[in-house]
Amino acid sequence: MDEEQMRQEAADDKLINDAFQRLLDSYLTSRHRKKVDLITKAFNFARQAHKGVRRLSGEPYIMHPIAVAQIVCEEVGLGSTSICAALLHDVVEDTDYTTEDIENIFGPKIAQIVDGLTKISGGIFGEQASAQAENFKKLLLTMSEDIRVILIKICDRLHNMRTLESQPANKQYKIAGETLYIYAPLANRLGLNKIKSELENLSFQYEHPEEYASIKAKLADTEASRHELFDEFIVPIEVELHKMGLHYQIKERVKTPYSIWNKMQNKHVTFDEVYDILAVRIIFTPNNREEEINECFNIYVAISKIYKSHPDRLRDWLSHPKANGYQALHVTLMSKQGRWIEVQIRSDRMDEIAEQGFAAHWKYKDGGGEEYTEDETELNDWLRTIKEILDDPQPDAMDFLDAVKLNLFASEIFVFTPKGEIKTMPTGCTALDFAFSIHTFLGSHCIGAKVNHKLVPLSHKLQSGDQVEILTSKAQHVQPSWINFVSTAKAKAKIQAILRRDSRELQKQGEELFGEFLKKNNINDIPNAADQLTEFHEMRNRDEFFQAISEKTILLGDKDVDELLGKNSGDKRGWRKFVPFLDRNKQKKAVEEQPELFVVPEKFNRKKPIFITDNNINQYKFKHCCHPIPGDDVLGFIDGKHQIEIHKRSCPVAAKLKASFGNRILDAKWDMHKKLFFDATIRLQGIDRVGMLLDISQVISSQMNVNIHKLTIASEEGVFDGTVELRVHDREDVGNIMGQLKKIADIQDVTQIM
C-alpha cells in the first residue's frame, strides 16, 4: 500500500470514527435504555460489510448508515432497536449477508425491521408502474406491522435529500419529485413536522433553484424588519406571562421558502402579499400536566386582552388533536403595526410531539421504552384504512397512489353517530363517505342521511359537530356518479371495486365486439391493435376502451381502420395543439409536414440534459396539462412510445410521473432565441373606469409591442374581470408584460393562467 492510500485510509477512519462517536454521544444523552454495546456491534458489522465501497460523493459508504442512524436518534428520538436497524439497513441489499444472518446476530426484531427496509430499498418506485405500486404496498404493509420501518425509511430519504447534489439532474428531479409526492406527506401524517418541512424545502431547492434562491434572498432582506416586528409584538405578552408565573419561551417561526412559494402559486400573490410569513410560538412548562390544556386557554385569554383577536382564526387542536397527534391552540392577533400575526400556544410536551410526532408520544408513555403499544388509536385507524385499500387490488398504480394520498393529506372534522360516539373524518367529506367509513354494506346501500335530524342527500358535505344517521335500502346499488362527490380514500376504493366488478361483463362484451370488427375488416395481423386504438381514442387503458365500445360511447368505423393501417395523416391531438408558430401559413405547413418525433434510442444517455432549440422543438411532445413555454423550469419524460414529453417541473401530471416512472425522467433545458411565438393567457382584475381598455391595449400593443390574440373583459358594479390571450416568445416576456400591467392605475390583480 503506497503512502497516499495509507493517508486516505487514515483520513477515512477518522471521519467514520468521529461520526460514530457523535452518534453514541447523542444516544447517551437520550432517554432510552443504554445499549451502547449492541449499537457498537451493529456499527462494526455494517462497517465491515460495506468496507471499500464509496458513495457518489466520494465518501466511504458507511457514512450514510451512520448519518441515517444519527437522524433516527437525534431528530426522531428513537432508541437502540431503530438505531441498529438504521446502521444495518443497506447490508442485506448491498452485500452477501442475508436477513437470517442479521436475525442470528441481532435478534428477530432488528431483523424484521431491516427486512422491511430491504423490501422497499432503492426508492419506492421501479421502472414499471405496476412494480411501483407493488413496492408501495409492501412499504405500507410492513409499516402496519412495525411503524419504525417507515420512520427509518423517512430518515434514509432525508439523508439522501441532504446529499443530493452529487446526483445528475434527472436523478435529482426523480428523487425530489418522489419525496414531495410520497415522503413529505408521510412525514406530515406521522407528525414529523420538522422533517416534513426540510424534505419539502430540499425538493423545492432542486426542482426550482431560481425561485428558491429568490425567496431566500427576499427572506434575508426582510429579516431585520421581521425581528423588529417580533420584538415589539412580544414585549407586552412577556409582561403578562411573567405575571402568570409561567416558565416559558417565545420563538419566532418563519414560513419556509417552499410554503411561501406554494402560497404564491395557489393564491396568485407576490412575496410581499404573503402576510403570514411570521408567526409567534409560545412554549410553556405547565405547573401541572393535568392542567396544561386549561393553561393554554388562560394564556389565550391573557394575550387577547392586549391585542384584538381575529374571530374566524381561532384553531383549537387541544381537546381534539389532529390525527398525527398535533396539539396546540392557534390564535391570530392584530399587532400595533396593523399586521395580523398568528400565535401558537403549546406546552413543552405538545411542542415535542409537534416536532417529532408519534415517536415523541411513546416517550410520555409509562416505562418510556421503545416498544409500541396498541392504544395509539389515531395511528391504528389510519393504518387500518390503508390496509383496507391494500385489500382491494387496484389495476392502475396511479389510482392506488392517489387513494393513499387522499388519506395522507386529509385535515380533520369531528362527526357524531346517532349514539353520540365521535368519529374523525377528513374535511370536505360527505354523508356517503361517512356511510362507507362505518361499513361497506352501509355505504353501498345508502339512499340518504339525517344530519342533525334533517333529511339530506348522499352528497351533503358534513361539518364538524354534525350528528349523522345513515338511511339505507336493499334496492339501492352503487352508481358511477358517486365517485364524483366522495372524498375519502376508503369510499373511493370501495366504490371503484364494486363498479369494476359490475363493468367486467361490459368489458368482455366490448372485447368480443372489437374482435368482430377486426374480423369484418380483415384485420388480423396487427399486434397491439387494441392498444393502438385505445391511445387513438384517448382512453386510459384497454378495459376502458372495451367498456366504451360495449356502452356505444365509441362507435368503431373507417377512421379506426385507417388508424390501424397507418392511413391517418398526422396526429392532431394532445401535444400537437401546443406546437409553437411563426404565422398562419407556416403553422399550416408545419402540421402538413408533420416533423418526425424524436425516438429515444436504446443506449441513450439519460444523465445528460436534452436541449430544446428553435430547430428541434417540433420533435418533442408538449402536453396540454401544463402548457410549458421557454423560461419555465421543465423536464422530459420518455413515454411508452419512446418519445419525449415536455412538462413543467411543477405540473401535477409531472409530479406523478416523477414518483412513478423515475427512471424515464430527463433533465430538459431551453436554448431558444426569441424566434418562435407561444400562447400565454393573463388574467386582470380591478376597478372599472373610462379608458381602462385603452390603457391595457396601449401597454401591451404599443409599449410592449406584443400581439393581442384575444381580449375578454366583463364589468359588474364597478369591478372588472378579464383575460388577455397573447403571443409571446418566453416566460421573460410574460413577466415584463405583467409588470407593466400592474403599473396601470386601478388594476388590482394580474395573474397568469395556465
Side-chain angles (χ1 to χ4, degrees):
M1 190 187 290
D2 64 27
E3 200 175 317
E4 181 56 39
Q5 278 180 306
M6 286 171 70
R7 203 166 31 245
Q8 180 64 56
E9 207 161 285
D12 286 349
D13 284 347
K14 184 176 184 327
L15 188 72
I16 294 165
N17 291 333
D18 288 352
F20 181 62
Q21 191 54 52
R22 185 173 158 239
L23 171 64
L24 283 185
D25 293 344
S26 298
Y27 175 67
L28 289 166
T29 56
S30 71
R31 311 177 194 188
H32 292 285
R33 292 189 293 275
K34 309 298 174 241
K35 294 189 179 175
V36 174
D37 292 349
L38 184 67
I39 293 170
T40 308
K41 185 177 170 186
F43 162 67
N44 289 328
F45 184 84
R47 186 180 191 172
Q48 189 56 42
H50 294 300
K51 196 172 176 61
V53 182
R54 292 187 179 275
R55 299 188 83 204
L56 276 180
S57 59
E59 66 178 14
Y61 192 87
I62 186 65
M63 292 299 289
H64 168 63
I66 297 171
V68 175
Q70 182 72 39
I71 297 168
V72 163
C73 174
E74 189 178 10
E75 298 181 49
V76 183
L78 298 174
S80 58
T81 305
S82 302
I83 293 169
C84 290
L87 287 167
L88 300 165
H89 80 271
D90 280 334
V91 166
V92 174
E93 188 196 359
D94 294 345
T95 72
D96 293 333
Y97 289 104
T98 63
T99 310
E100 287 72 31
D101 296 331
I102 303 287
E103 186 170 347
N104 292 335
I105 302 166
F106 297 100
K109 185 43 85 177
I110 290 173
Q112 182 198 359
I113 296 170
V114 171
D115 186 43
L117 289 161
T118 304
K119 280 178 184 163
I120 51 171
S121 61
I124 294 174
F125 308 114
E127 183 73 22
Q128 303 300 319
S130 56
Q132 163 253 34
E134 280 310 307
N135 279 332
F136 193 46
K137 285 179 185 177
K138 278 182 198 165
L139 165 76
L140 294 170
L141 282 170
T142 319
M143 167 184 167
S144 56
E145 286 166 19
D146 194 320
I147 196 72
R148 285 175 287 198
V149 173
I150 191 60
L151 291 172
I152 297 167
K153 188 67 192 168
I154 288 169
C155 297
D156 178 34
R157 175 50 56 111
L158 178 59
H159 185 248
N160 283 336
M161 287 301 296
R162 284 174 178 173
T163 55
L164 199 56
E165 71 274 0
S166 56
Q167 296 281 359
N170 66 321
K171 204 81 181 285
Q172 287 177 348
Y173 301 150
K174 175 228 181 214
I175 295 169
E178 189 180 283
T179 299
L180 212 49
Y181 198 70
I182 295 296
Y183 286 101
L186 270 175
N188 181 47
R189 200 59 169 77
L190 294 167
L192 302 165
N193 187 51
K194 212 170 166 190
I195 288 176
K196 177 213 70 157
S197 295
E198 192 178 345
L199 287 173
E200 287 175 342
N201 262 333
L202 287 165
S203 299
F204 174 45
Q205 183 184 340
Y206 284 102
E207 293 216 295
H208 303 283
E210 286 174 14
E211 275 118 320
Y212 176 81
S214 165
I215 291 173
K216 284 283 280 186
K218 284 173 182 166
L219 281 172
D221 290 344
T222 54
E223 190 174 7
S225 61
R226 259 198 327 274
H227 285 330
E228 194 180 320
L229 175 63
F230 173 75
D231 292 341
E232 281 182 34
F233 182 75
I234 66 167
V235 169
I237 293 176
E238 286 184 316
V239 172
E240 277 303 313
L241 296 179
H242 275 303
K243 280 185 197 168
M244 293 169 74
L246 285 171
H247 180 65
Y248 69 92
Q249 53 176 318
I250 300 181
K251 288 182 180 175
E252 184 180 354
R253 191 231 65 184
V254 180
K255 233 177 172 46
T256 62
Y258 173 77
S259 56
I260 291 170
W261 178 77
N262 222 11
K263 193 151 202 174
M264 286 163 66
Q265 301 302 306
N266 296 336
K267 305 270 187 198
H268 300 297
V269 293
T270 62
F271 177 88
D272 299 323
E273 293 168 308
V274 180
Y275 77 92
D276 57 347
I277 287 174
L278 172 70
V280 172
R281 196 169 281 163
I282 299 172
I283 302 158
F284 68 95
T285 306
N287 299 318
N288 178 351
R289 280 270 168 234
E290 273 70 52
E291 291 295 311
E292 66 180 350
I293 289 178
N294 288 341
E295 287 190 36
C296 285
F297 280 106
N298 291 340
I299 293 170
Y300 163 58
V301 170
I303 62 176
S304 58
K305 285 176 184 170
I306 307 166
Y307 297 109
K308 279 275 178 284
S309 63
H310 194 303
D312 302 325
R313 297 289 306 250
L314 179 67
R315 301 281 180 268
D316 173 14
W317 285 298
L318 295 172
S319 321
H320 298 296
K322 286 186 178 182
N324 62 14
Y326 181 82
Q327 259 185 308
L329 186 65
H330 290 196
V331 56
T332 303
L333 303 173
M334 176 58 80
S335 68
K336 297 284 190 278
Q337 291 93 334
R339 292 267 301 275
W340 287 111
I341 294 178
E342 184 181 77
V343 179
Q344 302 166 357
I345 305 165
R346 51 171 88 152
S347 69
D348 50 1
R349 179 190 68 85
M350 294 173 193
D351 186 60
E352 199 166 358
I353 289 169
E355 294 304 316
Q356 293 191 335
F358 276 108
H361 258 307
W362 292 305
K363 289 184 184 180
Y364 291 96
K365 297 285 173 194
D366 293 337
E370 207 195 340
E371 294 307 313
Y372 302 114
T373 53
E374 287 301 311
D375 64 345
E376 297 298 334
T377 50
E378 307 103 326
L379 181 62
N380 283 337
D381 283 348
W382 180 53
L383 292 177
R384 201 174 300 115
T385 305
I386 285 176
K387 270 186 166 175
E388 284 173 359
I389 297 167
L390 294 171
D391 288 341
D392 173 47
Q394 298 246 3
D396 189 328
M398 299 317 298
D399 284 351
F400 171 74
L401 269 184
D402 285 344
V404 174
K405 274 183 73 69
L406 276 173
N407 248 58
L408 293 180
F409 271 137
S411 51
E412 302 87 17
I413 59 169
F414 301 99
V415 183
F416 294 92
T417 67
K419 291 181 180 175
E421 292 167 16
I422 195 163
K423 278 191 80 74
T424 304
M425 296 292 293
T427 304
C429 72
T430 60
L432 188 57
D433 285 306
F434 183 75
F436 273 105
S437 76
I438 296 168
H439 198 278
T440 305
F441 180 85
L442 209 62
S444 56
H445 292 86
C446 178
I447 52 168
K450 279 186 178 177
V451 173
N452 306 326
H453 311 294
K454 287 179 187 167
L455 199 60
V456 297
L458 301 175
S459 56
H460 177 83
K461 286 198 174 177
L462 302 178
Q463 305 293 323
S464 211
D466 281 347
Q467 188 168 24
V468 187
E469 181 188 348
I470 298 299
L471 307 173
T472 60
S473 162
K474 284 185 180 176
Q476 177 69 295
H477 292 291
V478 170
Q479 305 297 315
S481 61
W482 287 9
I483 208 79
N484 299 324
F485 57 77
V486 291
S487 64
T488 57
K490 182 176 177 180
K492 283 203 170 181
K494 293 298 177 192
I495 291 167
Q496 281 168 339
I498 294 163
L499 290 174
R500 272 201 304 276
R501 205 166 56 224
D502 295 345
S503 65
R504 277 183 199 124
E505 194 57 42
L506 288 170
Q507 287 161 14
K508 201 174 172 190
Q509 288 170 14
E511 194 169 358
E512 287 167 5
L513 288 168
F514 182 65
E516 288 168 19
F517 167 75
L518 294 180
K519 201 172 177 184
K520 183 177 145 192
N521 289 283
N522 297 317
I523 301 171
N524 50 20
D525 59 347
I526 295 178
N528 304 323
D531 291 335
Q532 197 175 333
L533 289 189
T534 296
E535 191 172 339
F536 179 67
H537 287 283
E538 297 185 358
M539 293 286 166
R540 288 192 308 170
N541 50 47
R542 271 190 188 204
D543 290 344
E544 202 175 276
F545 172 61
F546 288 142
Q547 191 167 335
I549 293 171
S550 180
E551 291 172 337
K552 305 286 189 291
T553 52
I554 287 179
L555 298 171
L556 298 170
D558 293 344
K559 65 183 186 309
D560 299 283
V561 175
D562 290 345
E563 173 67 19
L564 290 172
L565 298 176
K567 292 178 184 175
N568 276 342
S569 58
D571 180 359
K572 297 182 181 57
R573 295 170 288 108
W575 61 274
R576 178 57 58 202
K577 292 174 193 168
F578 299 105
V579 168
F581 48 82
L582 288 158
D583 57 40
R584 290 286 171 206
N585 294 330
K586 286 186 181 177
Q587 190 182 4
K588 188 179 174 193
K589 193 180 171 194
V591 171
E592 285 166 1
E593 285 176 2
Q594 279 298 296
E596 283 293 309
L597 287 168
F598 177 68
V599 177
V600 177
E602 203 173 314
K603 292 188 177 175
F604 186 70
N605 185 348
R606 299 185 183 198
K607 290 182 182 178
K608 282 189 174 176
I610 55 166
F611 287 90
I612 307 163
T613 67
D614 298 306
N615 299 323
N616 73 9
I617 193 164
N618 286 345
Q619 294 179 6
Y620 303 113
K621 293 182 177 182
F622 283 77
K623 304 296 280 185
H624 50 42
C625 48
C626 58
H627 193 33
I629 67 173
D632 285 329
D633 289 337
V634 288
L635 52 77
F637 170 69
I638 302 169
D639 67 10
K641 290 183 170 181
H642 302 288
Q643 292 160 353
I644 297 175
E645 296 176 5
I646 304 297
H647 292 268
K648 285 184 186 176
R649 286 181 220 156
S650 55
C651 164
V653 173
K656 291 185 185 183
L657 296 174
K658 283 178 281 191
S660 311
F661 306 97
N663 297 338
R664 298 199 210 163
I665 298 295
L666 303 171
D667 183 19
K669 297 188 187 305
W670 299 100
D671 183 17
M672 309 290 284
H673 300 91
K674 292 189 183 281
K675 289 181 186 175
L676 304 177
F677 287 89
F678 299 80
D679 285 336
T681 305
I682 292 171
R683 185 180 180 190
L684 303 167
Q685 293 168 294
I687 312 299
D688 198 9
R689 60 169 169 78
V690 175
M692 176 59 82
L693 205 54
L694 182 64
D695 288 354
I696 292 169
S697 56
Q698 281 263 320
V699 164
I700 297 171
S701 301
S702 307
Q703 203 175 323
M704 305 300 297
N705 199 24
V706 171
N707 180 24
I708 297 177
H709 177 52
K710 188 179 177 185
L711 178 59
T712 314
I713 287 190
S715 176
E716 193 176 331
E717 295 178 8
V719 175
F720 79 86
D721 190 336
T723 57
V724 193
E725 289 180 23
L726 307 168
R727 302 272 160 85
V728 295
H729 291 299
D730 52 27
R731 176 68 50 221
E732 186 185 10
D733 282 0
V734 178
N736 291 338
I737 293 163
M738 287 172 69
Q740 291 302 321
L741 287 170
K742 283 178 182 176
K743 292 177 185 176
I744 297 174
D746 296 324
I747 283 192
Q748 303 293 319
D749 201 17
V750 181
T751 52
Q752 193 197 347
I753 298 172
M754 295 304 154

